[in-house]
Amino acid sequence: MDQPLYIAGPCSAESLDQLIAAAHELNGIPFKYFRAGVWKPRTRPGSFEGHGIKALPWLNEIQQKFGYKIAIEVASALHVEQALKAGIDAFWIGARSVTNPFTVQEIADSLRGVNIPLFIKNPVNPDLKLWIGAVERIEHASKAQIHAIHRGFSVYEKLRYRNDPNWQIALDFKIERPDLPLICDPSHMGGNRDVLLELSQIAMDLHFDGLHLEVHHHPQSALTDAEQQLTGKELNQLLSNLRLRNRVDLSNQEILDLRIKIDSLDSQVLQILAERMKIADQIGQIKAEHNTTIYQAKRWKELKEKNVRIAETLGLSEEMVSQLLKLIHQEAIRIQASYL
Ligand code: PEP
Ligand code: MN
């Protein structure tokens, strides 16, 4: 079983003493990079924005005293230049920066010819192309060893997690770029230490290659992201509760037989959908002949309610069935609109 790649450390580099305390917290934990934000992108001005260049020698001290490899966030060519000069070992590009192709391009150009581990977070908005685009900008310009970090997507109203995991986008990223390691960042996704184990477990079950978790010696007094940081002891606990699964693709006879059944059912589902759309097409012609509207709210409401009830008796989730019906309905409307 491959050991996941762990990145751990405080949200921000607050002082040399705080970094040393966080470094001690991580003693004995098998992490690869010690993270600490030096330039902190904040959504609104007025809160702690990092110590900037002043914090770089503190991180050098952590490298020397503890032998840890250090990762920091870079958001401009100047950050890259200063961090490279200071001998920082790895960089990440934050979610806000990844939304801006000009910023990503500037960072890419400043990394020309540089071979350094670079972690690219997903953009704050759920846009797979923007995320992949950032990867491409970096790989066209530099020799950086690219990793992706999934940290979820901004939402207007916080539900259980601060950011919506929308796991499907991360899985689609994996399909497009199976060559790149994909790390999950439960800390920024969850925004709260109580949900970190469940998010970490989902990530491991989905075959992510590692985890990024924030650690502070005294989380309550952290200058940034206080609610989500763990002590070293809590991180240890989380990692020992985590179930790591075998990462090989099973191909024993039992699975192969079941997959044959799945493939046959999938093709039946498609045939039934095609038949359904043909009928929607016939109805579309009749509606056009009678000059009636395509969308009929009462019929749609009844159809949805009836099928959600049936789905429940079949043990299917309401969310999945509602989304599926919505997609089918949209497609039927598109077909019928061709008669207008
Ligand atoms: C961070 O990792 O410090 C950070 C600001 O995260 P994100 O870019 O994911 O919001
Ligand atoms: Mn943080």
Side-chain angles (χ1 to χ4, degrees):
M1 198 177 305
D2 295 339
Q3 185 62 24
L5 186 162
Y6 296 128
I7 302 169
C11 182
S12 303
E14 300 171 11
S15 67
L16 176 58
D17 286 347
Q18 172 253 1
L19 289 172
I20 291 175
H24 278 299
E25 291 289 306
L26 289 168
N27 190 18
I29 293 176
F31 68 97
K32 187 153 180 196
Y33 296 101
F34 178 90
R35 66 146 281 150
V38 161
W39 293 284
K40 297 297 303 169
R42 307 312 302 275
T43 303
R44 297 185 66 178
S47 42
F48 178 62
E49 296 195 311
H51 286 294
I53 194 167
K54 183 174 118 191
L56 295 175
W58 303 339
L59 289 167
N60 292 146
E61 217 162 309
I62 301 297
Q63 284 170 316
Q64 282 149 24
K65 255 200 169 96
F66 295 85
Y68 294 168
K69 283 193 164 41
I70 308 290
I72 68 169
E73 173 163 352
V74 290
S76 69
L78 185 66
H79 293 168
V80 171
E81 188 193 320
Q82 291 173 335
L84 285 175
K85 204 149 89 195
I88 299 298
D89 304 285
F91 302 155
W92 78 86
I93 308 181
R96 290 159 195 77
S97 302
V98 176
T99 53
N100 183 348
F102 289 129
T103 300
V104 176
Q105 192 59 50
E106 177 185 324
I107 295 170
D109 292 338
S110 66
L111 283 170
R112 207 160 279 285
V114 177
N115 172 0
I116 193 167
L118 179 76
F119 298 86
I120 304 180
K121 294 214 180 189
N122 65 257
V124 285
N125 53 326
D127 187 339
L128 177 63
K129 289 202 180 98
L130 201 53
W131 194 5
I132 300 262
V135 168
E136 290 168 347
R137 285 177 193 281
I138 300 292
E139 67 190 354
H140 291 165
S142 83
K143 297 195 185 100
Q145 303 149 41
I146 301 175
H147 301 61
I149 298 188
H150 177 47
R151 49 76 85 194
F153 305 93
S154 292
V155 283
Y156 183 54
E157 280 181 68
K158 176 180 182 281
L159 298 168
R160 180 163 179 75
Y161 308 126
R162 182 166 82 185
N163 290 307
D164 176 9
N166 204 334
W167 295 105
Q168 191 57 47
I169 296 184
L171 298 181
D172 289 344
F173 183 98
K174 245 175 177 326
I175 290 170
E176 284 216 27
R177 294 305 305 256
D179 54 316
L180 298 180
L182 179 60
I183 314 287
C184 180
D185 174 357
S187 299
H188 292 94
M189 189 181 276
N192 185 310
R193 64 181 63 80
D194 297 338
V195 298
L196 299 182
L197 176 60
E198 68 191 54
L199 287 170
S200 302
Q201 188 61 58
I202 295 173
M204 289 296 100
D205 292 346
L206 292 175
H207 282 197
F208 275 65
D209 300 290
L211 295 172
H212 167 290
L213 288 153
E214 288 187 336
V215 172
H216 195 283
H217 68 291
H218 190 249
Q220 291 79 354
S221 61
L223 297 182
T224 53
D225 285 347
E227 316 80 60
Q228 73 200 30
Q229 302 203 56
L230 298 171
T231 60
K233 202 165 149 210
E234 287 165 339
L235 176 62
N236 231 330
Q237 187 71 43
L238 185 154
L239 295 181
S240 58
N241 286 332
L242 204 59
R243 288 187 317 276
L244 299 183
R245 299 183 193 265
N246 265 325
R247 300 170 66 82
V248 288
D249 188 20
L250 280 182
S251 54
N252 64 31
Q253 198 52 49
E254 197 184 352
I255 292 244
L256 290 179
D257 289 348
L258 290 170
R259 283 183 175 163
I260 289 171
K261 284 190 191 165
I262 290 257
D263 290 351
S264 145
L265 287 168
D266 282 349
S267 108
Q268 288 178 46
V269 169
L270 292 181
Q271 282 172 34
I272 290 172
L273 274 177
E275 273 175 45
R276 195 198 183 286
M277 292 309 163
K278 270 193 202 130
I279 297 176
D281 186 280
Q282 288 170 10
I283 294 180
Q285 293 180 37
I286 300 170
K287 282 179 182 167
E289 280 160 26
H290 291 81
N291 199 26
T292 53
T293 55
I294 292 174
Y295 175 65
Q296 306 210 342
K298 185 162 163 278
R299 161 77 179 144
W300 165 234
K301 186 167 174 282
E302 283 167 5
L303 180 149
K304 203 168 54 175
E305 285 170 0
K306 185 177 76 182
N307 283 300
V308 164
R309 272 199 309 277
I310 296 175
E312 203 183 339
T313 67
L314 294 170
L316 296 170
S317 86
E318 181 180 337
E319 196 197 337
M320 191 270 280
V321 172
S322 304
Q323 282 189 27
L324 184 64
L325 289 170
K326 209 157 126 190
L327 275 178
I328 292 174
H329 187 235
Q330 279 168 355
E331 179 63 5
I333 288 179
R334 191 188 65 77
I335 290 171
Q336 296 186 352
S338 68
Y339 290 103
L340 288 180

